[in-house]
């Protein structure tokens, strides 16, 4: 199949850990790589954000990244990209007039907008993955939500008019239904994890030296909604334990990062500054060692559309304590691979962590079960199987309707 991936702000080439670079970048990169490995012709369309970028870049697996001129060729926060989506869509339409894809897979709502503009003139079916929904973001962030006011209405329109919505977790199906998108239009295929890269037995010699008996690890984008402050506050109830936070800019630039400064201040006020370390951006090659060295991985966001960190941790055989939100409800099997706790409940977070830290045998059992679960459900091969089936059904359904018409 000729597959067009559209990911307007999340390039598979981007360095991870920045404000707008995280799980979506990984998803697009790894899914594209796996589909190309299977012989599909895959092109990823992402916005040009630098004059130094070539027009096209071939990924190691054979997929191609094409940089689309849409707005100034410079970094722009994703919530400010909305005015450039019509131009993005016009570019796609021109490209697809010359070489029509069999299916378009749009990632994020603005990509969906551009994809529909580009695909409609040529009768190309669009599969939509939102990765995050505006209704959820607005519910949790309120006035702090910087999304364009048009977002929710456009998401609703996309969900009702695209050929298929490909959700990454079951919680998203319920959120979409509340927006008026019928569950019959939705298929659930989770995100995946590289189980060869993240695995138990990783050499942990490269991990930072321990300063306490136990080690907790939190990681991901250094943004407020990830709830690292909740992990820091819970640490006050967890003795002889240190917390490492990986993510954000490189360590030598953390001093100029507002969220890093805020977290360090929280640690100081709570009296645990000596047990909290911000590592900054960590080389992806070092992450398995960091996860394998931790006693527990702590994921405490106030909301999480999917959350790939629990999968990476359990692939390494490390149990997870996570908030009972969004995709965590799928990726963390409570009482089997980790614990789910109410978001914002510091006592519950601390209780779950202390319980597991006190029982090494249970942690080991959770880690083994988690690894088995990843291999059974969450490898990129499994993900690509599910996505491929959605593509084929979608393309076939469009062809059949065209013939009838």
């Amino acid at each position: 199949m000729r597959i067009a991936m559209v990911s307007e702000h999340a390039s598979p080439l981007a360095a991870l850990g920045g404000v707008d670079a995280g799980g979506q970048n990984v998803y697009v990169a790894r899914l594209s790589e796996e589909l190309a490995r299977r012989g599909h012709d895959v092109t990823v369309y992402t916005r040009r954000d630098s004059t130094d970028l070539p027009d096209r870049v071939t990924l190691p697996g054979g997929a191609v990244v094409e940089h689309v001129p849409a707005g100034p060729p410079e970094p722009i926060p994703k919530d400010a990209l909305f005015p450039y989506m019509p131009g993005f869509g016009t570019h796609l339409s021109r490209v697809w007039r010359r070489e029509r894809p069999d299916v378009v897979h749009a990632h994020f709502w603005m990509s969906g907008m551009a994809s529909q503009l580009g695909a409609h003139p040529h009768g190309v079916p669009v599969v939509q993955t939102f990765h995050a929904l505006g209704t959820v973001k607005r519910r949790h962030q309120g006035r702090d939500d910087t999304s364009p006011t048009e977002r929710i209405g456009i998401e609703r329109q996309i969900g009702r008019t695209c050929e298929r919505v490909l959700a990454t977790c079951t919680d998203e199906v319920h959120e979409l239904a509340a927006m008026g998108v019928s569950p019959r239009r939705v298929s659930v295929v989770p995100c995946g994890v590289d189980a060869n890269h993240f695995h138990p037995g990783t050499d942990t010699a490269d991990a930072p030296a321990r300063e306490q008996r136990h080690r907790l690890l939190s990681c991901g984008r250094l943004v407020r909604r990830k709830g690292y402050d909740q992990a820091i506050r819970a640490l006050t109830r967890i003795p002889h334990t240190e917390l490492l936070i990986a993510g954000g800019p490189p360590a030598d630039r953390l001093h100029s990062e507002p969220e890093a400064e805020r977290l360090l201040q929280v640690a100081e006020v709570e009296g645990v500054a000596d047990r909290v370390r911000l590592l900054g951006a960590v080389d992806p090659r070092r992450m398995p060692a960091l996860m394998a060295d931790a006693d527990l991985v702590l994921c405490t966001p106030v909301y999480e559309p999917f959350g790939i960190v629990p999968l990476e941790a359990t692939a390494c055989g490390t149990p997870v304590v996570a908030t009972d939100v969004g995709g965590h409800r799928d990726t963390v099997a409570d009482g089997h691979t980790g614990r789910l706790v109410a978001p914002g409940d510091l006592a519950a977070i601390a209780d779950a962590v202390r319980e597991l830290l006190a029982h090494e045998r249970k942690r080991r059992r959770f880690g083994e079960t988690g690894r088995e679960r990843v291999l059974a459900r969450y490898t990129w091969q499994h993900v690509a199987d599910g996505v491929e089936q959605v593509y084929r059904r979608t393309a076939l359904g469009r062809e059949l309707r065209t013939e009838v018409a």
Side-chain angles (χ1 to χ4, degrees):
M1 296 181 74
R2 184 174 289 117
I3 300 164
M5 297 276 189
V6 182
S7 183
E8 97 292 341
H9 75 275
S11 169
L13 302 173
L16 301 181
V19 173
D20 290 332
Q24 182 177 327
N25 303 69
V26 174
Y27 182 97
V28 173
R30 296 312 307 272
L31 179 59
S32 298
E33 176 185 329
E34 179 61 26
L35 291 170
R37 190 187 66 79
R38 298 179 180 206
H40 297 290
D41 182 347
V42 183
T43 302
V44 181
Y45 298 89
T46 192
R47 196 186 75 86
R48 176 185 291 280
D49 62 4
S50 170
T51 56
D52 297 332
L53 292 171
D55 291 341
R56 294 168 67 85
V57 178
T58 301
L59 296 174
V64 172
V65 177
E66 182 168 314
H67 292 111
V68 175
E74 60 191 36
I76 299 175
K78 71 173 184 288
D79 286 338
L81 292 176
F82 177 62
Y84 307 117
M85 290 304 102
F88 199 121
T90 299
H91 177 89
L92 294 177
S93 182
R94 285 197 300 267
V95 172
W96 295 341
R97 184 183 303 120
R98 295 192 302 269
E99 193 170 38
R100 181 188 182 278
D102 297 306
V103 66
V104 173
H105 189 170
H107 301 272
F108 201 57
W109 71 277
M110 282 186 283
S111 292
M113 175 184 172
S115 295
Q116 291 205 353
L117 290 170
H120 180 73
H122 313 297
V124 183
V126 176
V127 173
Q128 175 71 40
T129 295
F130 286 105
H131 292 281
L133 290 169
T135 51
V136 179
K137 185 176 182 183
R138 191 158 299 173
R139 182 189 312 146
H140 290 282
Q141 294 192 4
R143 293 181 179 179
D144 293 331
D145 181 9
T146 57
S147 300
T149 56
E150 298 89 345
R151 175 175 179 174
I152 292 175
I154 292 175
E155 283 183 336
R156 185 176 290 112
Q157 184 268 338
I158 290 171
R160 292 172 175 176
T161 59
C162 69
E163 208 71 23
R164 195 79 185 159
V165 177
L166 204 163
T168 56
C169 67
T170 51
D171 187 68
E172 187 179 348
V173 180
H174 304 307
E175 295 288 351
L176 287 164
M179 293 168 55
V181 179
S182 170
R184 292 192 299 271
R185 299 180 52 78
V186 183
S187 297
V188 178
V189 180
C191 296
V193 63
D194 184 347
N196 293 320
H197 181 59
F198 293 94
H199 63 87
T202 301
D203 184 1
T204 60
D206 195 34
R210 286 200 182 207
E211 297 180 1
Q212 298 287 332
R213 178 183 175 188
H214 293 298
R215 169 171 288 178
L216 308 177
L217 173 67
S218 293
C219 48
R221 292 186 295 134
L222 204 60
V223 293
R224 186 179 287 259
R225 79 166 180 84
K226 292 296 184 179
Y228 300 123
D229 55 342
Q230 301 297 300
I232 292 171
R233 291 187 172 98
L235 193 66
T236 64
R237 309 173 186 219
I238 310 169
H240 312 301
T241 303
E242 63 184 356
L243 171 66
L244 273 55
I245 300 175
D252 60 357
R253 298 212 304 269
L254 278 174
H255 65 279
S256 61
E257 170 58 50
E259 181 64 5
E261 289 297 304
R262 185 182 77 88
L263 294 174
L264 290 173
Q265 185 176 17
V266 170
E268 187 70 36
V269 169
E270 297 292 340
V272 294
D274 61 328
R275 295 195 283 133
V276 175
R277 278 190 276 174
L278 271 62
L279 304 180
V282 174
D283 188 320
R285 292 171 296 185
R286 293 181 54 214
M287 282 307 302
L290 203 56
M291 287 183 165
D293 187 60
D295 295 299
L296 294 172
V297 168
L298 196 53
C299 303
T300 53
V302 292
Y303 71 96
E304 186 59 72
F306 182 78
I308 206 164
V309 171
L311 288 184
E312 293 173 343
T314 50
C316 291
T318 303
V320 176
V321 173
T323 44
D324 187 10
V325 296
H328 288 172
R329 293 166 178 159
D330 287 359
T331 58
V332 180
D334 189 31
H336 299 281
T337 68
R339 292 296 313 279
L340 289 173
V341 295
D345 189 337
L346 301 182
I349 294 170
D351 287 348
V353 170
R354 287 198 308 269
E355 176 197 353
L356 287 173
L357 290 181
H359 295 91
E360 183 177 356
R361 184 177 298 177
K362 180 180 285 189
R363 293 202 309 274
R364 189 181 305 115
R365 185 173 73 249
F366 279 14
E368 292 169 353
T369 303
R371 174 70 181 179
E372 293 170 358
R373 194 166 184 263
V374 164
L375 293 177
R377 303 185 185 190
Y378 293 109
T379 67
W380 284 111
Q381 291 75 27
H382 283 297
V383 174
D385 286 343
V387 172
E388 204 173 33
Q389 290 177 22
V390 172
Y391 289 171
R392 293 193 186 283
R393 290 201 304 269
T394 299
L396 179 61
R398 171 59 68 93
E399 289 173 4
L400 289 175
R401 282 194 296 276
T402 301
E403 289 178 4
V404 170

